[in-house]
Amino acid sequence: MTPQVRFHYQQATAVRRTQVIPEQLPDWVPSACAVVAEHLRHHGIASAGYPFARCHPLPDGLVEVEAGFPVAAPIADNGLVEPSTLPAGPVLAVWHTDPDQKLAETYAIAEEWMETEGATPTGDSWEVYHDLPTCDRLGTRIEIVQPITFVNA
């Protein structure tokens, strides 16, 4: 699908957070989303959207990852599930829907679009899982959301 630019409003989230090597993400993210979903259900809090994961690269090859759900209002930190936010501002959204295509190829489409259109990332991207993850897979309808700014803006 064609990349789309839109404005993203700041969004409160409920997440689990950890540091992992990138190869552990496919196993950790679905289980983290399941824990957050159970926490929200137990406390009578409705999610305000689809599950997501956001990675923050660390210098030693690890990534700090947070995974969970957007919520209508900030939650209390209970040690297992923490409050966080997704940032406000312009974003580039690119859909990954081809199960035979590697997710890295979809990220490459976003990078190519930004280079061609004169946009630069303004923070770490996140993935929104439109197929609800199960404990053994992430699904195939993944929206990559990258905060951006335009170089000549």
Side-chain angles (χ1 to χ4, degrees), residues 18 25 29 33 42 55 61 72 77 83 87-89 101 107-108 112 114 126 132 141 152:
T18 194
L25 289 169
V29 169
C33 288
H42 181 73
C55 294
D77 185 341
Q101 181 183 36
Y107 276 96
E112 181 179 309
M114 287 186 290
W126 61 91
L132 294 179
R141 292 183 336 122
N152 295 327

Side-chain angles (χ1 to χ4, degrees), residues 10-52:
Q10 183 170 306
Q11 177 69 61
T13 60
V15 300
R16 293 218 48 218
R17 187 177 282 124
T18 194
Q19 293 181 5
V20 296
I21 59 173
E23 292 79 17
Q24 293 173 310
L25 289 169
D27 294 327
W28 187 84
V29 169
S31 65
C33 288
V35 169
V36 174
E38 178 57 24
H39 173 82
L40 295 176
R41 186 196 66 75
H42 181 73
H43 293 310
I45 302 169
S47 72
Y50 291 100
F52 76 95

